[in-house]
Amino acid sequence: MDNKGLEKLDQLLLKYGNDDSILSASELDGYFAAIVSGPRQIDPGLWYPHIWAEQLPKWTSEKEGERFTKLAVELMSEAAFMLDEEPDDYEAIFLADEQGKGEKLIVSQWCAGYLRGAQVAGWIEAELPEELEAALASISLHGSEEGVDALNAMSDDEYDASVATVEPAAVALYQYWQQHLEPVLPIRRDETKVGRNDPCTCGSGKKYKQCCMSK
């Protein structure tokens, strides 16, 4: 995704977000990295509302909602492709702090999004091998409030070294769960069936037949 697309995501997330929602493309990228890394496929009807902390946006226009959904799906697809097909070249979307000496990567938003995604995907509390626990801990250090004191106590070199572990940690977790995928079983749905012409449950503003029905 180019910078224009990322900037548009930033704008829409800030415009329609709230104090508890995802508010940047960096955070959304981390969120999707965890969603696609889990042992089971996550339906858009689950991951979409959690972007907004269950407070779905009231889009100014149907076109605006469609634009966001298209960009979000593109971002998620890119994360899945890089983690699966090009793990050695995987690059998360981090922020850069150019106010200090040189360029310093800021990974807290991405890591916070990753932890949210792992929670939504239902694997954040799963029992992991020791090396994978360490990988998740390196992300948690930067993405949770519990890590703030430890980060503040680090020297610049220590911080940079810690940041350098985040992307390899995401790759390692993805590869682990790909080896432990859960079988896809048919799900009995007792709730009312979504009609072809009903609004799609993902919140895009499109009709179901024009959106998630074909996925």
Side-chain angles (χ1 to χ4, degrees), residues 23-181:
L23 293 173
S24 72
S26 176
E27 190 175 357
L28 188 63
D29 183 57
Y31 178 75
F32 284 142
I35 291 289
V36 302
S37 292
R40 64 186 69 87
Q41 184 175 350
I42 305 300
D43 188 270
L46 178 59
W47 60 251
Y48 183 87
H50 283 281
I51 293 175
W52 311 101
E54 303 291 351
Q55 300 180 41
L56 296 181
K58 296 180 180 179
W59 301 107
T60 302
S61 66
E62 181 176 318
K63 183 178 180 180
E64 192 174 47
E66 292 175 358
R67 175 67 168 156
F68 175 83
T69 301
K70 180 180 179 181
L71 288 171
V73 171
E74 180 181 343
L75 187 66
M76 181 170 63
S77 298
E78 287 184 3
F81 176 81
M82 290 293 291
L83 287 165
D84 190 59
E85 300 292 336
E86 300 179 0
D88 292 340
D89 297 320
Y90 173 68
E91 292 185 359
I93 299 176
F94 296 151
L95 303 177
D97 176 14
E98 299 177 351
Q99 303 302 316
K101 298 178 180 179
E103 184 178 285
K104 181 178 181 181
L105 290 177
I106 306 299
V107 302
S108 57
Q109 291 187 30
W110 187 94
C111 291
Y114 189 94
L115 296 178
R116 183 193 293 250
Q119 183 71 48
V120 171
W123 62 264
I124 195 168
E125 296 180 356
E127 184 175 348
L128 296 169
E130 185 175 347
E131 64 271 20
L132 275 304
E133 288 284 2
L136 184 57
S138 70
I139 296 175
S140 297
L141 175 65
H142 290 272
S144 65
E145 293 183 2
E146 289 77 7
V148 172
D149 290 340
L151 291 173
N152 288 338
M154 289 182 179
S155 65
D156 287 345
D157 288 343
E158 289 172 334
Y159 176 83
D160 291 341
S162 180
V163 166
T165 68
V166 172
E167 287 167 327
V171 171
L173 286 161
Y174 176 85
Q175 293 176 340
Y176 171 80
W177 283 120
Q178 291 308 293
Q179 297 171 5
H180 297 81
L181 292 176

Side-chain angles (χ1 to χ4, degrees), residues 9-18 23 52 59-60 64:
L9 279 174
D10 278 334
Q11 293 171 4
L12 293 174
L13 289 166
L14 284 171
K15 180 178 180 180
Y16 292 101
N18 56 77
L23 293 173
W52 311 101
W59 301 107
T60 302
E64 192 174 47

